[in-house]
Amino acid sequence: MNSQKLLVDNLDDSVLWKALKSGDEKAFSSLFKKYYSHLVRYGNSFTPFPEKVQDCVQDVFTDVWVYKNSLNDNVVVKAYLLSSVRKRIARLHERDHIFRKSTTVDLIPFTFDFTIEDILIADESMAIKVLTLNQLINNLPARQKEALYLRYHQGLSVEQIAELLGVNYQSANNLIHRSLLNIRKNWKENKSLLFLLLSQVF
């Protein structure tokens, strides 16, 4: 099959990845366009310097293309790219001496701000509930917040989150479970409304 003739934007990640590894520039471009903004937004959660984050994301894609022949055939592309950005930002912090020990970003606050689409806010009462939920999520410990983000906002499996965070499966599962418990514990409204709004956040 001639990959140059494929409608690459409609292919799943595994097909695009294999095509990229064979030197298909269109497949590479498609993955870049698909994930660039997601990766920048994730990276911005670790540092207040968006231009450096953009450089990190571009460097990740450059490495993917340059070292494409040595990449693993069977990867979950989104998880691989998120992990690569996370590691590169850790090296950025280490290089800039922001922390004395920065081989990981575990010491760096995860500051992603969750918001619910304005279309859901039909009246003042609902707006207050939405604001309350946003605050509950954003007040979670950074590690829990990141695990929740990766699980529900990025759709990663618990196994993938564990690998990305450098912890075992049970630890990753505990992070997600504790984050949801913390939200439910402080939610004073109807529980069914909570789950409705959570589904819209993620």
Side-chain angles (χ1 to χ4, degrees), residues 41-42 44-46 86 108-115 133-154 161 165 172 174-180 182-183 201-202:
R41 196 174 186 196
Y42 179 54
N44 284 337
S45 300
F46 296 109
R86 197 177 196 269
I108 307 172
F110 183 78
T111 59
F112 183 90
D113 288 325
F114 291 91
T115 56
L133 179 57
N134 284 337
Q135 290 174 337
L136 290 177
I137 295 174
N138 290 314
N139 287 337
L140 290 171
R143 196 80 157 162
Q144 291 181 25
K145 188 176 173 184
E146 184 178 5
L148 204 66
Y149 168 86
L150 293 170
R151 181 71 182 97
Y152 296 103
H153 201 79
Q154 292 295 345
I161 293 170
L165 297 181
N174 287 344
L175 283 170
I176 297 167
H177 182 64
R178 284 197 297 269
S179 68
L180 293 173
N182 282 337
I183 293 172
V201 174
F202 301 114

Side-chain angles (χ1 to χ4, degrees), residues 42-80:
Y42 179 54
N44 284 337
S45 300
F46 296 109
T47 176
F49 305 108
E51 68 284 352
K52 291 186 177 183
V53 170
Q54 292 172 26
D55 289 343
C56 285
V57 173
Q58 290 169 7
D59 287 345
V60 165
F61 278 106
T62 297
D63 284 351
V64 165
W65 182 254
V66 171
Y67 301 109
K68 58 184 177 295
N69 293 329
S70 60
L71 295 174
N72 194 316
D73 287 335
N74 300 310
V75 300
V76 178
V77 176
K78 178 188 279 189
Y80 175 85

Side-chain angles (χ1 to χ4, degrees), residues 9-187:
D9 290 339
N10 296 321
L11 297 177
D12 66 34
D13 287 355
S14 62
V15 175
L16 289 171
W17 188 254
K18 290 178 181 178
L20 179 158
K21 281 176 54 61
S22 70
D24 190 330
E25 294 183 9
K26 291 183 179 179
F28 172 79
S29 177
S30 182
L31 286 173
F32 182 90
K33 288 187 292 185
K34 183 175 182 179
Y35 287 118
Y36 179 80
S37 61
H38 293 279
L39 298 174
V40 167
R41 196 174 186 196
Y42 179 54
N44 284 337
S45 300
F46 296 109
T47 176
F49 305 108
E51 68 284 352
K52 291 186 177 183
V53 170
Q54 292 172 26
D55 289 343
C56 285
V57 173
Q58 290 169 7
D59 287 345
V60 165
F61 278 106
T62 297
D63 284 351
V64 165
W65 182 254
V66 171
Y67 301 109
K68 58 184 177 295
N69 293 329
S70 60
L71 295 174
N72 194 316
D73 287 335
N74 300 310
V75 300
V76 178
V77 176
K78 178 188 279 189
Y80 175 85
L81 293 174
L82 288 168
S83 179
S84 296
V85 168
R86 197 177 196 269
K87 291 174 182 175
R88 189 165 288 273
I89 289 176
R91 291 199 293 272
L92 170 70
H93 280 266
E94 184 177 27
R95 185 196 70 195
D96 291 348
H97 307 293
I98 295 175
F99 291 98
R100 286 176 293 178
K101 296 175 63 178
S102 293
T103 54
T104 72
V105 292
D106 295 342
L107 299 178
I108 307 172
F110 183 78
T111 59
F112 183 90
D113 288 325
F114 291 91
T115 56
I116 299 177
E117 296 297 333
D118 292 340
I119 193 172
L120 285 175
I121 305 177
D123 52 46
E124 184 176 354
S125 174
M126 181 60 72
I128 293 173
K129 293 179 177 63
V130 167
L131 178 61
T132 299
L133 179 57
N134 284 337
Q135 290 174 337
L136 290 177
I137 295 174
N138 290 314
N139 287 337
L140 290 171
R143 196 80 157 162
Q144 291 181 25
K145 188 176 173 184
E146 184 178 5
L148 204 66
Y149 168 86
L150 293 170
R151 181 71 182 97
Y152 296 103
H153 201 79
Q154 292 295 345
L156 301 191
S157 68
V158 177
E159 293 88 347
Q160 291 160 2
I161 293 170
E163 183 176 355
L164 192 154
L165 297 181
V167 298
N168 61 37
Y169 176 92
Q170 190 58 50
S171 294
N173 197 50
N174 287 344
L175 283 170
I176 297 167
H177 182 64
R178 284 197 297 269
S179 68
L180 293 173
L181 281 179
N182 282 337
I183 293 172
R184 287 199 294 265
K185 179 177 65 177
N186 295 293
W187 181 255

